[in-house]
């Protein structure tokens, strides 16, 4: 029996525009080889910084392009080592590990179906050291798939202004929207002084190009760029220039349409399968992204379930790995086919006991 | 007047095999796009790890391929944060900064024309904490251009065995040899248990591919690979696969011949110009690499000279930046043309006062 992975939060291979990227890579080397094959600016390939700057309405000097956006998080954590950072709970596990490794005091604030709870955040701000920043993934969150509502977005930005807070808006999934109107980003609501915006081309073009970026206040961009120089001298300009060529050719929107269609079908398959197989559980209903958050009956231990599920040929990540409750699980629908999704949910459901009747 | 840079330790643009790399990048994406454009192993592109493993006679699992070799130094410094590290003096400034940033206690040990002084190292080992490792660039050292003699190499490896020491042999320039027989590497003399070997393809193919590597004891490779996962998930496989394709096609040796010829001519031009223009100074006579170490008359302040030199249209890096004496300077001959080298040395010499007669 082939194992079915709801654990891998990565795009299905058919999402990646291989042929087009091959041609982009060849062309940028032939056209601009002396630049992209040499040492260059630590902040990234300038034409790409300009493109990103224009998209977000900022000076390109405020854009730091890194070898994947996690690398930017490492620089930020290095910059604020030993300080306090507020995160939403559950949240993406890799930043938690990076922050912990730099002696950061992490305060986790509750979220619900509407995203980070602003009242809980306000409460956390009343006690303890002023945080260096608040880390949030407001759209199609990893791991929960939840999206912060427009009202709460406004409230969060107000809180940032009231408390002179820095907010890090991590938004890798925002453009992978299958339906519905996108809410304004925190960055747009703020005007770009209190909010750092981070994203990447991993979900919109290809993860292997390792091109992530941060839009920062100017002085902070310069501090992080100095850390970049001391880490790798120059990021991989070849990947960045390849991405820029892809964008320059106008390929982003058509590619997004293709990716949205491929992944939307998978999201639909997973929602339908859950409805059919696990009617007594709860789950998030994301309008995009990669993930669904599954809340199993209260007595279910997702860790124990995961062991049995592995034997039954289906895997996921238990919610506890992201700071979630013991009965929760992150299901990624991005990597597997709709048929595999239906079969995987069936295998999973066969292992879950319904709640005890009252 | 165009400024002439002896400061830039980077290859001249004509050293970079642009056309061939363009074709390699296109081919690896077309052939292996699903792999090189996706997330993958944090330790690097497997075929390249195999190639490097074979070259050094080790299991590919001991090879960590990073986004440039400095990134590997960052991982090593993170692993040994707060410990003691012995370096040679002068030495490459970036690692010094990285180590200092991790609270490493750095002991600098003297070198002379024959490289690191083993007696000075033995002395340093007698006092203080046992070092986490000894950092050396034994061949065509940055900044001095000096090469550790075969006798001293053997003595250094003996010391490592006697004291159960780890030695980091940083060897990015070894293959860029214009003349003479290469001495054995420390790694070869040791057998690969006490010596970590690090190198990169920046000087042999192109710096912009950002492909460096470390050959490590197995357990340490796994520890550093875990740090790599927590930093960038996957390195830039596109650059690594492009390098592998370049190697697979048998292009390395012909390219090295070309690079050696281009840079050897520059080294010759600089040695001749120094002989002609600065007969009262001393300098190293490297058989390869990028750098010449200039020792000016004892009363000369290279920092003050650098300011005047900038105005006169020639730049270098003052030796003090590498821990060298105040009358020393690093001259890179790698970036500029032979004509520029002759003119640059002329401009420099016009600013240096001969020693006061006795």
């Amino acid at each position: 029996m082939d194992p079915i992975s709801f654990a891998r939060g990565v795009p299905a291979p058919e999402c990646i525009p291989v042929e087009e990227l091959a041609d982009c890579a060849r062309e940028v080397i032939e056209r601009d080889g002396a630049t992209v094959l040499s040492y260059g600016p630590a902040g990234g390939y300038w034409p790409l910084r300009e493109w990103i700057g224009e998209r977000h309405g900022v000076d390109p000097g405020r854009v730091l392009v890194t070898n994947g956006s996690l690398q930017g998080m490492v620089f930020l954590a290095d910059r604020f080592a030993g300080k306090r950072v507020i995160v939403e709970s559950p949240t993406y596990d890799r930043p938690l590990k990076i922050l912990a490794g730099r002696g950061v005091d992490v305060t986790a604030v509750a979220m619900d179906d509407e995203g980070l709870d602003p009242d809980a955040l306000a409460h956390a701000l009343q006690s303890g050291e002023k945080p260096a920043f608040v880390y949030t993934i407001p759209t199609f969150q990893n791991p929960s798939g939840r999206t912060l509502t427009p009202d709460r977005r406004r409230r969060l930005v107000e809180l940032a202004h009231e408390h002179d807070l820095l907010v890090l808006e991590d938004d890798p999934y925002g453009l992978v929207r299958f339906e519905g109107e996108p809410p304004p980003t925190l960055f747009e609501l703020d005007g770009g002084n209190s909010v750092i915006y981070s994203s990447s081309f991993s979900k919109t073009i290809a993860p292997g190009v390792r091109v992530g970026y941060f839009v920062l206040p100017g002085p902070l961009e310069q501090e992080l760029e100095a850390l970049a120089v001391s880490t790798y001298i120059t990021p991989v300009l070849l990947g960045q220039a390849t991405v820029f060529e892809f964008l320059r050719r106008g390929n982003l929107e058509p590619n997004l349409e293709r990716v949205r269609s491929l992944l939307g079908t998978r999201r639909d398959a997973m929602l339908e399968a859950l409805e059919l197989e696990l009617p007594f559980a709860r789950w998030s209903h994301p309008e995009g992204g990669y993930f669904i958050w599954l809340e199993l009956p209260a007595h279910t231990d997702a860790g124990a379930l995961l062991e049995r599920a592995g034997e039954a040929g289906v895997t996921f990540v238990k919610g506890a790995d992201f700071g979630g409750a013991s009965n929760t699980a992150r299901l990624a629908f991005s990597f597997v086919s709709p048929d595999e999704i239906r079969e995987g949910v069936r295998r999973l459901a066969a292992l879950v006991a319904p709640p005890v009747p009252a």
Side-chain angles (χ1 to χ4, degrees), chain A residues 218-299:
Chain A
L220 190 54
E221 193 283 332
Q222 284 171 34
E223 289 182 74
L224 299 199
E225 191 167 325
L227 292 173
V229 174
S230 285
T231 300
Y232 47 62
I233 308 175
T234 305
V236 185
L237 300 179
L238 172 55
Q240 298 184 9
T242 300
V243 162
F244 175 71
E245 177 62 17
F246 190 87
L247 299 169
R248 197 188 65 79
R249 293 182 179 185
N251 283 334
L252 181 63
E253 272 307 318
N255 192 59
L256 277 173
E257 283 308 313
R258 209 174 52 79
V259 168
R260 286 168 184 148
S261 163
L262 284 164
L263 296 187
T265 307
R266 287 161 162 81
R267 191 265 332 244
D268 293 345
M270 189 169 270
L271 288 177
E272 284 160 22
L274 288 169
E275 199 70 55
L276 190 69
E277 306 283 350
L278 279 166
F280 47 83
R282 290 187 73 235
W283 52 85
S284 57
H285 292 73
E287 293 182 330
Y290 281 21
F291 306 112
I292 283 173
W293 189 244
L294 181 63
E295 294 175 59
L296 293 159
H299 65 274

Side-chain angles (χ1 to χ4, degrees), chain A residues 63-86:
Chain A
V63 178
L64 179 72
V65 188
T66 52
N67 297 324
S69 68
L70 198 68
Q71 175 76 70
M73 176 57 110
V74 168
F75 294 144
L76 207 61
D78 279 339
R79 170 64 183 77
F80 293 115
K83 305 284 186 191
R84 183 188 184 210
V85 169
I86 293 181

